Amino acid sequence: MLNFDFQNKTEIIFGKNTEERVGKEIKKYGKKVLLHYGGGSIKRTGLYDRVIKSLKNENIEIIELDGVMPNPRVSLVREGIKICRENSIDIILAVGGGSVIDSAKAICAGVPYSGDVWDFCVEGVQVENPLPLGVILTIPAAGSESSMGTVLTNEEGLYKKSFGSNLLRPKFSILNPELTYTLPAYQTAAGVVDMMVHVFERYFTNTKSVELIDRMSEAVLTTIINNGEKVLENPEGYDARAEIMWAGTLAHNDLLHTGRETDWASHKIEHELSGIYDMTHGAGLAIITPAWMKYVYKHDLDRFVQFANRVWGVDVIGDRESIALEGIKRMEKFFKRMGMPVTLQEAGITNDRFEEMAKKAISLTETIGGFVKLSKDDIVEIYKLAK
Amino acid sequence: MLNFDFQNKTEIIFGKNTEERVGKEIKKYGKKVLLHYGGGSIKRTGLYDRVIKSLKNENIEIIELDGVMPNPRVSLVREGIKICRENSIDIILAVGGGSVIDSAKAICAGVPYSGDVWDFCVEGVQVENPLPLGVILTIPAAGSESSMGTVLTNEEGLYKKSFGSNLLRPKFSILNPELTYTLPAYQTAAGVVDMMVHVFERYFTNTKSVELIDRMSEAVLTTIINNGEKVLENPEGYDARAEIMWAGTLAHNDLLHTGRETDWASHKIEHELSGIYDMTHGAGLAIITPAWMKYVYKHDLDRFVQFANRVWGVDVIGDRESIALEGIKRMEKFFKRMGMPVTLQEAGITNDRFEEMAKKAISLTETIGGFVKLSKDDIVEIYKLAK
């Protein structure tokens, strides 16, 4: 186990009707809120009205900025920063999924910073004194509701890059599983894949003697697997929705990161896909992750055998390589049952931009991946395995 | 799953040599510290000198209060409150195990309170504006290093009572597994039992649909079981000491509490034992917990079968009652292998005060226990089962 610091101050407010508390929570941080959200879905479901009512009950002044797209754009973030400065906003309230929260985090970081917000992504500028952020989560997937990170897309060149700080974790996140009843099956499934891969990125490590967090990671994965199909079969089943929602947060709140090196190659390889083709991040991961696993499993066969056995129930009998591959196969089958694509072809993506994407993936570093270091050529091979 | 709020702000600073950072951490909260500890063990090991050096490096003014005993006394807490007031202490640093931390928490709560500190235990007074608390943990057991609670013993009548508040969680806790190398085997084992029972108190619940936290609890328990004996065999093995230390914190930081009712009867029944006979809390739990389980298992046989299967590896074949009982038996055997007593007789305790202890255990409420509500007579029966 490696030395580590772990602190996650986000207050999780979980359960039925909890969005009704948002006004009182926001009031703790100020009187003027930027309400940040995506399109019309929160209006269709009535959530928007309930949020406005709760805020108005506490006499909170509301400025709105909607229009967040999946793979949130830095241009909207810049607009948000301007609005916050001009209106002396006290706190941002993000109502939505990972894209909305990530967009809000970037605005929070950018308001007190004199340069351009994209600097945080590419210049390594440190976040200081960000605006506080509150969240009402509507899509369990990205884990951004208690994570320190944000991922932005720069339209000029379709770069997708991330930055983070412990200071960017939301002050509070309201998680009501009922708000996820209306999610389309595709988005539910993509969310399930995303949260699973958040665990994988930490689970596949070169650090030895990490039993506790290995087992806790397997607990999270097993629960997601057991409830993923239930949620598709019965979208309004509270119990399974609640398991998935809480699992999605714990997959990415950094507890499962403690004491170990991590990987993150799959995320970076996928970001080039969703950056260029604007596909759903989770769907991209369902394609990239199995390919990544097939490319790297020999690096630590024991770990892939453990994964196959404890997460996918493969008996530890016979050839160890076959056991490892059977685990990956069962994962692919699970992704398919969830309605996800597992090849680029299924997503309508041809091989003509592999070199370009691989080059972009390593544009800031010579290699990516903590578990296995991948060069540009390795990344091209992984795209080919994903064809 | 029940609605819940979860927030744990304690910063965990984990790993080798991390105690050297204590001066810098304390400095964030002030210039004047009350250094609170037990007896001479931290002096014998050299930890005391390293702490003093780190504090002096940052020009922190140090006032000392030692003499914390196991089952910490309210009289010393009162003394600590007086010292803090007279010296305008900014922050308390607890160096030790659960008793030292609990004593420090009570001082933190008591300093700004105008009444007597025992009121928090018996009058339901709420904690407000406590002094901040930092911790260097030397005994993984009580979980007090990131919990909200404290347990005190009142010498007048040997009452042992607890109170808690989210505000009492330490600001930071330094966990260096190397500091636990010198722990006597008995204390190591008692700590292992204590942390396991912290999980049990939450695991045995009447709340349905709690798969994620069930599985995470089982992960913590399995890791403790797998590393408990290793730690006794090789007290200076870093890896197993690290697993036990981090597991002890996660067992009691309230993550495993989320979304469910909890029990706490075993703790309350044991507190009367250690309150009167001044025995080690973990050893008392090794005696009481199996008896409690034998008394209540029929209340939810399915849960005890799950426990036997997933935690103790009992195959789910044949009579369900036998499976449940086999799980409890394997737990008792594990406690024995760890060198713990599992009967009152082994601890030299006779049956002459069962009625008195049972009466005290329910002195504040008519029954105890969230999983099965226990009356005074039930508690007497459990003491009898533990004979």
Side-chain angles (χ1 to χ4, degrees):
Chain A
M1 205 187 296
L2 303 178
N3 281 16
F4 64 84
D5 281 25
F6 174 67
Q7 185 176 38
N8 189 325
K9 292 185 177 182
T10 303
E11 181 180 8
I12 302 293
I13 300 167
F14 192 101
K16 295 177 184 174
N17 302 319
T18 44
E19 68 274 16
E20 291 168 7
R21 286 168 54 184
V22 70
K24 285 198 196 312
E25 294 300 322
I26 288 290
K27 207 181 179 181
K28 295 176 187 169
Y29 302 93
K31 293 174 177 174
K32 223 166 171 183
V33 69
L34 179 74
L35 177 60
H36 198 38
Y37 56 100
S41 69
I42 67 164
K43 290 190 173 166
R44 279 195 302 279
T45 60
L47 174 60
Y48 174 87
D49 291 336
R50 293 202 298 285
V51 170
I52 295 289
K53 190 180 159 201
S54 176
L55 293 170
K56 290 206 166 154
N57 277 347
E58 305 296 329
N59 299 312
I60 311 278
E61 192 181 332
I62 307 161
I63 313 267
E64 296 191 27
L65 178 62
D66 65 352
V68 181
M69 316 264 281
N71 304 313
R73 308 300 201 270
V74 71
S75 54
L76 191 72
V77 169
R78 290 183 183 123
E79 194 182 330
I81 291 168
K82 197 161 161 270
I83 294 172
C84 287
R85 287 177 182 160
E86 287 170 358
N87 295 278
S88 304
I89 291 290
D90 297 313
I91 176 167
I92 301 181
L93 174 62
V95 182
S99 298
V100 174
I101 304 168
D102 280 3
S103 181
K105 280 179 176 171
I107 299 171
C108 288
V111 169
Y113 174 61
S114 58
D116 181 65
V117 68
W118 191 246
D119 294 351
F120 291 109
C121 295
V122 291
E123 304 285 343
V125 174
Q126 293 301 303
V127 175
E128 282 176 33
N129 300 312
L131 279 192
L133 171 64
V135 166
I136 298 177
L137 182 67
T138 61
I139 309 174
S144 192
E145 65 275 13
S146 83
S147 79
M148 58 165 77
T150 170
V151 185
L152 294 185
T153 296
N154 192 330
E155 304 92 310
E156 296 156 25
L158 294 177
Y159 282 98
K160 194 168 173 179
K161 297 289 173 204
S162 60
F163 69 98
S165 159
N166 224 353
L167 301 173
L168 282 184
R169 295 191 198 271
K171 297 293 181 189
F172 68 86
S173 282
I174 291 174
L175 278 63
N176 176 357
E178 294 175 311
L179 300 180
T180 69
Y181 287 173
T182 52
L183 272 182
Y186 189 83
Q187 221 167 349
T188 297
V192 161
V193 174
D194 193 12
M195 59 182 76
M196 289 177 74
V197 181
H198 287 152
V199 183
F200 298 163
E201 298 282 17
R202 296 161 168 111
Y203 187 81
F204 292 100
T205 179
N206 294 317
T207 311
K208 299 298 173 197
S209 300
V210 287
E211 177 174 356
L212 175 64
I213 300 300
D214 269 7
R215 290 190 183 276
M216 292 185 95
S217 302
E218 291 152 4
V220 172
L221 290 170
T222 304
T223 305
I224 296 171
I225 294 163
N226 288 348
N227 289 280
E229 285 172 275
K230 282 185 198 169
V231 161
L232 294 189
E233 283 156 19
N234 179 16
E236 302 201 0
Y238 184 83
D239 296 335
R241 286 285 191 189
E243 298 287 356
I244 291 290
M245 198 166 207
W246 192 206
T249 302
L250 293 179
H252 201 45
N253 79 343
D254 291 317
L255 172 63
L256 303 183
H257 192 134
T258 56
R260 56 174 65 210
E261 285 177 10
T262 58
D263 189 67
W264 299 103
S266 299
H267 264 74
K268 284 174 183 155
I269 297 171
E270 194 293 318
H271 282 169
E272 301 312 322
L273 267 191
S274 50
I276 288 183
Y277 296 100
D278 206 21
M279 70 187 302
T280 304
H281 174 53
L285 286 171
I287 296 167
I288 294 300
T289 308
W292 174 82
M293 287 187 178
K294 288 172 199 165
Y295 193 73
V296 305
Y297 74 94
K298 287 180 186 165
H299 173 72
D300 188 348
L301 197 52
D302 286 350
R303 186 153 279 275
F304 273 91
V305 168
Q306 175 182 309
F307 175 66
N309 173 247
R310 294 200 202 153
V311 177
W312 299 102
V314 183
D315 289 332
V316 184
I317 298 167
D319 173 48
R320 296 177 73 71
E321 200 168 329
S322 309
I323 296 165
L325 290 171
E326 176 64 21
I328 300 169
K329 200 167 154 188
R330 289 191 191 182
M331 181 185 72
E332 278 187 302
K333 280 187 184 167
F334 173 75
F335 290 168
K336 278 188 196 169
R337 288 200 304 278
M338 293 294 294
M340 287 285 102
V342 292
T343 62
L344 290 170
Q345 204 180 6
E346 287 170 73
I349 295 170
T350 52
N351 64 354
D352 46 357
R353 297 178 79 170
F354 289 176
E355 282 282 337
E356 175 195 350
M357 292 192 293
K359 227 179 250 174
K360 269 183 169 173
I362 55 159
S363 64
L364 297 178
T365 47
E366 282 191 15
T367 61
I368 56 168
F371 181 62
V372 176
K373 290 199 190 317
L374 302 172
S375 68
K376 193 207 75 184
D377 291 347
D378 293 318
I379 299 168
V380 170
E381 289 306 313
I382 289 168
Y383 284 128
K384 283 182 186 167
L385 274 172
K387 270 206 287 195
Chain B
M1 205 186 296
L2 303 178
N3 281 16
F4 65 84
D5 280 26
F6 174 66
Q7 184 177 38
N8 188 327
K9 292 185 176 182
T10 303
E11 181 180 6
I12 301 294
I13 301 168
F14 192 101
K16 294 177 184 173
N17 303 319
T18 44
E19 68 274 16
E20 291 168 7
R21 287 167 52 185
V22 69
K24 286 199 197 312
E25 294 299 322
I26 288 288
K27 206 180 178 181
K28 295 176 187 168
Y29 302 94
K31 291 174 178 175
K32 223 168 172 180
V33 70
L34 179 75
L35 177 60
H36 198 37
Y37 56 100
S41 68
I42 68 165
K43 290 190 175 167
R44 279 196 302 278
T45 59
L47 174 60
Y48 174 86
D49 292 337
R50 295 204 296 285
V51 170
I52 296 290
K53 190 181 160 200
S54 176
L55 293 170
K56 288 202 167 157
N57 277 346
E58 304 297 329
N59 298 312
I60 311 279
E61 191 181 333
I62 307 161
I63 313 266
E64 294 191 30
L65 177 63
D66 65 352
V68 181
M69 317 266 280
N71 304 313
R73 308 301 200 271
V74 71
S75 54
L76 190 74
V77 169
R78 290 185 184 123
E79 196 183 328
I81 291 169
K82 201 163 158 268
I83 294 172
C84 286
R85 286 177 184 161
E86 286 171 0
N87 294 279
S88 304
I89 292 291
D90 296 316
I91 176 168
I92 301 181
L93 174 63
V95 182
S99 298
V100 174
I101 305 167
D102 280 4
S103 181
K105 281 179 176 171
I107 299 172
C108 288
V111 169
Y113 175 59
S114 58
D116 181 66
V117 69
W118 190 248
D119 294 353
F120 292 110
C121 295
V122 290
E123 304 286 341
V125 174
Q126 293 300 303
V127 175
E128 282 178 32
N129 300 311
L131 279 191
L133 171 65
V135 166
I136 299 178
L137 183 66
T138 61
I139 310 174
S144 191
E145 65 275 12
S146 84
S147 79
M148 57 165 77
T150 171
V151 184
L152 293 185
T153 296
N154 192 329
E155 303 93 310
E156 299 156 23
L158 295 176
Y159 281 98
K160 194 168 173 180
K161 298 288 172 205
S162 60
F163 69 97
S165 160
N166 223 353
L167 301 173
L168 282 184
R169 295 192 199 271
K171 296 293 180 190
F172 67 86
S173 283
I174 291 175
L175 279 62
N176 177 357
E178 293 175 311
L179 300 181
T180 69
Y181 287 173
T182 51
L183 271 183
Y186 189 83
Q187 223 167 349
T188 297
V192 161
V193 175
D194 193 12
M195 59 183 74
M196 289 175 74
V197 181
H198 287 151
V199 184
F200 297 163
E201 299 282 17
R202 295 161 168 111
Y203 187 80
F204 292 100
T205 179
N206 294 317
T207 311
K208 299 300 174 196
S209 301
V210 286
E211 178 174 354
L212 176 63
I213 300 300
D214 269 6
R215 289 190 182 277
M216 293 186 94
S217 302
E218 291 152 3
V220 173
L221 290 170
T222 304
T223 305
I224 296 171
I225 294 163
N226 287 349
N227 289 279
E229 284 172 276
K230 283 186 199 169
V231 161
L232 293 189
E233 284 156 18
N234 179 17
E236 302 202 0
Y238 184 84
D239 296 336
R241 286 285 192 189
E243 299 286 356
I244 291 289
M245 199 166 205
W246 193 205
T249 302
L250 293 179
H252 201 46
N253 79 343
D254 291 318
L255 172 62
L256 303 183
H257 193 133
T258 56
R260 57 174 62 209
E261 285 176 11
T262 57
D263 189 66
W264 300 103
S266 299
H267 264 73
K268 284 174 184 155
I269 297 172
E270 194 292 317
H271 281 171
E272 302 312 321
L273 265 192
S274 50
I276 287 183
Y277 298 99
D278 206 22
M279 70 186 300
T280 304
H281 174 55
L285 287 171
I287 296 167
I288 295 299
T289 308
W292 173 82
M293 287 186 177
K294 288 171 199 166
Y295 194 74
V296 305
Y297 75 94
K298 287 180 185 166
H299 173 72
D300 188 347
L301 197 53
D302 286 349
R303 186 152 278 276
F304 273 90
V305 168
Q306 176 181 307
F307 175 64
N309 172 248
R310 295 200 201 153
V311 176
W312 299 102
V314 183
D315 289 332
V316 183
I317 298 167
D319 174 48
R320 295 177 73 72
E321 203 169 325
S322 309
I323 296 165
L325 289 171
E326 176 64 22
I328 300 170
K329 201 166 152 189
R330 290 192 189 181
M331 181 185 73
E332 277 186 303
K333 281 187 183 167
F334 173 74
F335 289 170
K336 279 187 197 171
R337 288 200 304 276
M338 293 294 292
M340 286 285 103
V342 294
T343 62
L344 289 170
Q345 205 181 4
E346 287 171 72
I349 294 170
T350 52
N351 66 355
D352 48 354
R353 297 178 80 169
F354 288 178
E355 282 283 335
E356 176 195 348
M357 293 192 293
K359 229 179 248 172
K360 269 181 166 174
I362 56 160
S363 64
L364 297 178
T365 47
E366 282 191 16
T367 61
I368 56 169
F371 181 61
V372 176
K373 288 197 192 321
L374 303 171
S375 67
K376 194 206 75 185
D377 292 346
D378 292 318
I379 299 168
V380 170
E381 290 305 312
I382 289 169
Y383 284 127
K384 284 184 187 167
L385 274 171
K387 269 207 288 195

